[in-house]
Amino acid sequence: MSKLSLICSFFFLAQTVIAQKPVPVKPRILVSTDIGGTDPDDNQSMIHLLMYNELFEIEGLVSSPSYGDGTKQEILRTIDLYEKDLPKLRTHKPELSSPDYLRSVVKQGRHGAAPFKGYATATEGSNWIIKCAQKKSDRPLWVLVWGGLEDLAQALHDKPEIQHKIKVFFIGGPNKKWSANSYAYIAKNFPNLWFIESNASYYGFFSDNVPDSLSNKNYYKNYIKEAGFLGKEYKENRYKGVLKMGDTPSLLYMMDGNPSNPMRENWGGSYVKFKRSPRVLFNGNTSIRDTVTVFSIVEFMFKGPVVNISPDSACLTMTVKSEIGEQKWDGFYLGNGNYVVRYCPKRTETLTYKVTSSISGFNEQNGTFVVDNIWLGKPHNTDYQLGTNWYTDRSNPELYDDIWQGGKTVLKWRNDVLLDWAKRWNWLR
């Protein structure tokens, strides 16, 4: 590392003490994660959590992959690596949790997206959310959602009264796309839930608009450098040490200041209230003249043959072609010849789709539509109406990081966060 880079690093390190503010009480947290699925950034965020776990009262680590093959075994495997590094970490932070305790709160949630109604059957993970939420405490249970919302939706369905005991920080974006049915269920039926929806701000944590020594590709070689078993694991996953950690802002939010005030400036971003969540309905196919708002819930309604199949049976396939390739989504039969597919776009682009079914008499459907970049966009009479405690990304133009709304509210603290973490990596040498 150059002398200039070292000077810059020490400057940013000095700023850390000023930037980070005390947290009033140790927060109770439950993390719902799709770790081990298609995107290994959850593995990176889990390492970060384990290395800082003395700051939290961890009550649950739930595997909730709405897409991909994530399982609780991946959480347990990471705890095994943490156990090997724990003696060195405890030299500096003796209050770090025991591996056996952490293993005891690891639970398996639902594999795969929920059907159209947004929930299905209870899982070990959803039951654990309920159990933790029902504990007698003067502190809320913070549910930090890094993956799908299915287990949270299931828990709320099975015990609606827990909505008054929990606060939710949801890393949305692609996670919202994969769990659109569960999001729709929660927004429609629990408008008074306390809920932060970070659809774009979190992108600021893996922005490239940073000093070169702290860039996504250089942070590992400059600061982690295979330190300990966790450092080797950080390099050995699919990202090969390249930093992403898109879910980490939910943790950072709990580490800096009073988490009951989402509008404050803090390491995990700054958010504003919103009273409606965009929902757009199309009866039939769309064309290039149709535009929807990024991150909105879009429902495509089609007419077809009247059949005798159980409600919420997946019977359609919507194949969407986007910049990242081709993805497939389930559609459902609502009865009386009515069919529906939900979709949630995650970025600005023009999309084309094809809807097919093995049901005899259902005609193939084709269409296209445009996704704009302004969340929340214009109101619709079909929007979900929310209560007073829903928060989302700030829309100020000057806070965009490239195309990502609110991204700079996270990006501005990224250097502080990473240099603080660098000190802990040094403990493992």
Side-chain angles (χ1 to χ4, degrees):
M1 191 187 303
S2 70
K3 183 179 291 186
L4 178 59
S5 296
L6 282 170
I7 292 171
C8 291
S9 294
F10 283 121
F11 171 77
F12 286 123
L13 191 58
Q15 296 298 303
T16 301
V17 178
I18 299 171
Q20 192 177 20
K21 296 168 284 294
V23 178
V25 294
K26 183 181 286 191
R28 302 168 57 217
I29 69 169
L30 181 148
V31 174
S32 173
T33 170
D34 56 359
I35 187 172
T38 57
D39 189 351
D41 77 312
D42 284 53
N43 294 72
Q44 297 180 347
S45 291
M46 185 61 66
I47 290 171
H48 184 274
L49 167 60
L50 293 176
M51 290 176 69
Y52 279 90
N53 74 69
E54 86 283 355
L55 300 178
F56 313 104
E57 205 168 293
I58 299 177
E59 298 196 5
L61 298 170
V62 177
S63 169
S64 301
S66 56
Y67 179 76
D69 299 321
T71 69
K72 71 177 185 180
Q73 297 307 315
E74 191 69 5
I75 304 174
L76 293 169
R77 187 181 70 82
T78 311
I79 293 172
D80 290 345
L81 298 173
Y82 161 78
E83 183 172 33
K84 294 177 181 180
D85 282 337
L86 188 55
K88 288 184 178 180
L89 293 171
R90 274 191 170 160
T91 301
H92 302 271
K93 294 293 179 182
E95 64 272 36
L96 284 162
S97 295
S98 75
D100 284 343
Y101 169 75
L102 293 171
R103 292 185 186 106
S104 74
V105 300
V106 175
K107 308 296 174 183
Q108 184 61 57
R110 178 180 169 85
H111 283 99
F116 185 75
K117 64 185 179 183
Y119 60 90
T121 56
T123 66
E124 181 185 43
S126 67
N127 285 334
W128 191 253
I129 293 173
I130 293 170
K131 182 175 182 178
C132 293
Q134 289 181 321
K135 289 181 181 178
K136 289 185 178 181
S137 177
D138 57 0
R139 292 170 293 157
L141 175 70
W142 289 87
V143 181
L144 310 183
V145 182
W146 299 0
L149 286 164
E150 283 76 12
D151 286 300
L152 176 61
Q154 188 69 50
L156 287 165
H157 173 265
D158 293 344
K159 287 288 182 181
E161 58 268 30
I162 69 169
Q163 66 180 297
H164 307 297
K165 302 284 189 180
I166 65 175
K167 294 186 175 183
V168 179
F169 191 120
F170 175 43
I171 299 291
N175 291 325
K176 185 176 181 180
K177 180 168 75 168
W178 293 115
S179 56
N181 291 329
S182 291
Y183 176 91
Y185 173 75
I186 293 171
K188 178 181 178 180
N189 294 283
F190 297 92
N192 294 316
L193 187 63
W194 201 103
F195 198 101
I196 296 175
E197 182 176 334
S198 180
N199 285 317
S201 296
Y202 72 90
Y203 277 90
F205 197 73
F206 50 97
S207 171
D208 286 323
N209 298 319
V210 295
D212 190 57
S213 65
L214 291 168
S215 69
N216 299 331
K217 65 179 181 179
N218 289 330
Y219 182 76
Y220 184 90
K221 70 179 183 181
N222 288 337
Y223 295 98
I224 301 179
K225 296 182 288 189
E226 297 190 12
F229 291 89
L230 291 173
K232 292 180 178 65
E233 167 68 13
Y234 200 95
K235 186 176 182 180
E236 288 172 3
N237 85 16
R238 199 178 75 211
Y239 286 142
K240 305 300 182 185
V242 175
L243 183 149
K244 185 178 179 185
M245 296 171 62
D247 300 294
T248 295
S250 67
L251 291 176
L252 303 178
Y253 177 85
M254 309 301 301
M255 294 166 60
D256 182 21
N258 184 357
S260 293
N261 177 17
M263 294 182 282
R264 75 196 193 279
E265 288 198 358
N266 80 100
W267 281 6
S270 180
Y271 303 91
V272 293
K273 289 189 176 185
F274 69 123
K275 293 295 186 71
R276 60 177 183 85
S277 182
R279 173 175 174 250
V280 184
L281 273 61
F282 292 109
N283 288 302
N285 287 308
T286 55
S287 72
I288 196 68
R289 295 185 297 275
D290 293 304
T291 298
V292 301
T293 296
V294 67
F295 310 126
S296 60
I297 297 294
V298 186
E299 294 183 12
F300 298 87
M301 309 289 293
F302 303 104
K303 296 297 292 187
V306 175
V307 293
N308 184 23
I309 59 176
S310 61
D312 268 336
S313 296
C315 57
L316 304 182
T317 300
M318 173 182 269
T319 303
V320 179
K321 292 184 178 180
S322 65
E323 290 181 9
I324 64 171
E326 194 174 89
Q327 294 179 324
K328 297 181 184 295
W329 309 91
D330 286 337
F332 299 87
Y333 182 58
L334 301 181
N336 298 319
N338 296 309
Y339 297 79
V340 63
V341 181
R342 276 201 185 105
Y343 184 76
C344 179
K346 76 165 191 174
R347 62 175 299 151
T348 305
E349 56 186 328
T350 299
L351 299 172
T352 60
Y353 64 85
K354 175 176 67 175
V355 181
T356 57
S357 176
S358 60
I359 293 176
S360 177
F362 185 91
N363 297 322
E364 179 178 305
Q365 308 291 323
N366 294 275
T368 187
F369 61 97
V370 177
V371 183
D372 71 22
N373 199 37
I374 303 174
W375 163 261
L376 304 160
K378 65 181 182 180
H380 306 84
N381 59 13
T382 51
D383 292 346
Y384 300 108
Q385 300 304 310
L386 307 174
T388 58
N389 289 309
W390 285 64
Y391 302 85
T392 195
D393 311 289
R394 291 186 177 273
S395 61
N396 313 51
E398 68 274 14
L399 296 178
Y400 274 70
D401 181 45
D402 295 329
I403 67 170
W404 302 113
Q405 182 173 323
K408 287 184 179 177
T409 70
V410 171
L411 174 61
K412 69 182 295 182
W413 306 113
R414 181 181 180 279
N415 299 333
D416 295 7
V417 170
L418 292 181
L419 287 167
D420 188 78
W421 198 21
K423 292 185 292 184
R424 299 204 174 204
W425 285 114
N426 278 330
W427 299 348
L428 295 179
R429 302 198 191 288

